[in-house]
Amino acid sequence: MPALFLNALKLIFLLLLFLFLWQIARSIRGHLGSGSSTKTLKTASTLVIVKSETLAGQRYAIGTPAVVGRSEDADIVLDDSYASDFHFRIGQQEGKIILSDLGSTNGTYINGRRVTVPTSLTKGDSIQIGKTIFEVR
């Protein structure tokens, strides 16, 4: 009986060692960006203005956080009287696109719903402020 018990302990130890090494490999793969998470971006994303009186068709790479608004000091300047001077911030964090409303007067809408907290975006989402509509591509 003791030999059977020792063999069972050996198998349990090997199983735990395998699980530990597997978790380390997953963690390293996640840090290198080759994880298979559905929310992780695999390609660079672009913010495209699909509807605007003067800026339709403009494209902006989404990378470091950028502020969108009417002010000349904004990273992406809009010609929309319904937009606030600094309307929202968009950028990537941990492989996700995050949009944060900056206390705008008329609000920021993602797919028709008003944003009140930082929100994660996916490709195909539409963002509306005033008369301007963006799409994440």
Side-chain angles (χ1 to χ4, degrees):
M1 188 75 169
L4 181 62
F5 180 71
L6 290 176
N7 284 333
L9 282 178
K10 287 178 190 177
L11 286 175
I12 291 171
F13 174 76
L14 288 175
L15 177 66
L16 290 173
L17 182 64
F18 172 77
L19 289 173
F20 175 73
L21 293 174
W22 181 67
Q23 286 291 350
I24 289 174
R26 280 186 50 199
S27 177
I28 291 171
R29 184 177 51 185
H31 285 292
L32 295 176
S34 63
S36 61
S37 173
T38 58
K39 296 201 177 223
T40 299
L41 302 174
K42 297 197 180 351
T43 59
S45 295
T46 306
L47 189 63
V48 179
I49 299 177
V50 294
K51 183 180 177 190
S52 171
E53 293 177 0
T54 58
L55 299 171
Q58 292 289 326
R59 297 176 166 272
Y60 304 94
I62 301 172
T64 59
V67 174
V68 178
R70 235 181 25 213
S71 172
E72 293 296 324
D73 294 328
D75 299 311
I76 301 173
V77 180
L78 298 179
D79 183 23
D80 188 330
S81 60
Y82 294 101
S84 295
D85 287 341
F86 301 103
H87 204 93
F88 69 83
R89 178 181 295 114
I90 189 168
Q92 288 192 18
Q93 288 181 334
E94 299 174 1
K96 298 178 187 176
I97 302 172
I98 305 295
L99 181 139
S100 301
D101 185 85
L102 299 175
S104 62
T105 303
N106 295 320
T108 303
Y109 296 84
I110 298 175
N111 300 325
R113 292 186 174 176
R114 188 168 184 155
V115 173
T116 57
V117 296
T119 304
S120 179
L121 300 172
T122 58
K123 290 187 179 188
D125 283 345
S126 68
I127 305 162
Q128 182 172 359
I129 59 172
K131 296 179 182 178
T132 305
I133 299 176
F134 299 85
E135 184 176 302
V136 179
R137 294 188 182 165

